[in-house]
Amino acid sequence: MVEKSNDPVLSGKTIMERFSLRGKTALVTGAGQGIGRALAHGLADAGAYVAVVDLDLDLAEQVSSEIKIRNPHLESMAIKTDVTNPDQVTQMVDKIVKTWGKLTIGCNNAGIGQWVDTLDMSYEDWQRMIKIDLDSVFLCAQAEARHMVSNNYGKIINTASMSGYIANYPQGQSHYNTAKAGVLSLTRCLGTEWAEKGIRVNSLSPGYTRTSLVAELLKTELGQKVSPIWLARIPQNKMAEVTDLQGAVNFMASEASDYMTASDIVVDGGYLAW
């Protein structure tokens, strides 16, 4: 019989203890609405203090207030940050560390989308997409890691997309797909580069997800055209709700995933399996 002290199943924390985020501090960018809002709530529900980061401070404060009402024993703060501005990103992390003493979890989620045929795409459209959806992930991950190395521990979770793997149809979004493919590659690079520093870097790749912005888009003429095509290619025959993404992120943020790095979790209803 194996001695209990040498048996990780018997001597270690229970799986539910490892899934808990109590005592952890987190930030979520783009958390004023949509997927980011859901991720912020999910982390708080598991016990983490959460900084709600958004370019729109009013939206960030609203979500932070929601978190504190839902979890009155936890702390939350709202921070206005342009995640494409290196100085503001550094100040964001510094504020969290100064207030809570540490940063354990960084969810780099802020991003935009746009449908436009590449023949009609301006260079400004291309640059804006890369700057917001890819450059910001680099800036945030770098700033987060510069603090995390001092604790030899941290979890960085980047929001990529199934669009980083495919060319979406029928809408044109080559700049978005390219940016998300870059997020996947950056995640692999940082996850391997920082592994020995105790920092795990992984990503989430959502499929088509019903946010308020997407819901409005689907009401348009183009939206009415693409919706049935999307659904026909999703084995579950439905779009994801933002809450469908919380479990994967909470897993990557928790001790339960400590041996996972440089990886991606796809939550797409089976879309990529076709």
Side-chain angles (χ1 to χ4, degrees):
M1 180 179 293
V2 178
E3 292 185 15
K4 182 178 179 180
S5 60
N6 297 323
D7 185 344
V9 176
L10 299 178
S11 64
K13 295 179 182 179
T14 68
I15 186 62
M16 296 311 296
E17 288 175 316
R18 283 182 283 143
F19 269 113
S20 173
L21 298 180
R22 291 176 183 171
K24 313 294 186 183
T25 64
L27 71 82
V28 182
T29 66
Q33 58 186 327
I35 291 173
R37 173 174 172 262
L39 300 187
H41 271 283
L43 295 172
D45 285 349
Y49 287 9
V50 179
V52 180
V53 180
D54 204 280
L55 191 58
D56 187 324
L57 184 59
D58 289 339
L59 289 177
E61 288 178 338
Q62 180 178 329
V63 175
S64 181
S65 178
E66 292 173 355
I67 288 172
K68 286 183 281 190
I69 291 172
R70 183 178 172 96
N71 298 279
H73 60 291
L74 297 179
E75 294 183 21
S76 176
M77 70 173 82
I79 305 177
K80 179 178 180 178
T81 303
D82 177 353
V83 291
T84 68
N85 183 305
D87 291 337
Q88 290 191 30
V89 169
T90 298
Q91 291 166 12
M92 168 189 73
V93 174
D94 287 347
K95 181 175 181 178
I96 294 167
V97 174
K98 182 178 180 180
T99 303
W100 291 335
K102 62 182 178 180
L103 174 65
T104 317
I105 303 158
C107 287
N108 305 318
N109 168 79
I112 60 170
Q114 183 189 32
W115 292 352
V116 57
D117 189 287
T118 306
L119 289 174
D120 301 320
M121 186 185 298
S122 68
Y123 185 44
E124 289 73 22
D125 284 337
W126 173 273
Q127 288 183 307
R128 180 169 180 261
M129 184 65 68
I130 299 300
K131 184 175 184 179
I132 296 175
D133 283 28
L134 178 56
D135 291 358
S136 70
V137 175
F138 162 76
L139 291 173
C140 290
Q142 183 184 60
E144 293 154 3
R146 283 174 172 166
H147 168 71
M148 291 173 177
V149 291
S150 63
N151 294 323
N152 197 40
Y153 187 84
K155 296 297 187 81
I156 294 176
I157 304 156
N158 303 321
T159 298
S161 172
M162 72 171 186
S163 301
Y165 292 93
I166 62 173
N168 297 72
Y169 180 82
Q171 72 276 19
Q173 52 181 60
S174 63
H175 51 352
Y176 178 84
N177 297 353
T178 301
K180 292 303 185 179
V183 172
L184 290 171
S185 182
L186 179 63
T187 297
R188 289 192 294 270
C189 292
L190 299 183
T192 54
E193 185 176 334
W194 295 342
E196 292 184 353
K197 302 180 187 300
I199 302 171
R200 286 78 167 175
V201 187
N202 296 292
S203 58
L204 169 74
S205 283
Y208 291 119
T209 304
R210 189 179 300 280
T211 65
S212 58
L213 294 177
V214 170
E216 289 301 314
L217 188 60
L218 292 178
K219 294 178 182 178
T220 66
E221 182 178 352
L222 179 58
Q224 292 293 315
K225 176 184 177 182
V226 303
S227 180
I229 297 174
W230 290 356
L231 292 175
R233 296 167 68 99
I234 302 173
Q236 289 196 16
N237 197 37
K238 63 180 180 179
M239 294 176 64
E241 300 296 338
V242 292
T243 50
D244 290 321
L245 308 175
Q246 292 173 315
V249 169
N250 275 34
F251 166 65
M252 289 187 281
S254 74
E255 294 179 17
S257 64
D258 276 358
Y259 194 61
M260 176 183 178
T261 198
S263 295
D264 181 61
I265 295 181
V266 179
V267 183
D268 67 348
Y271 190 101
L272 292 187
W274 280 45

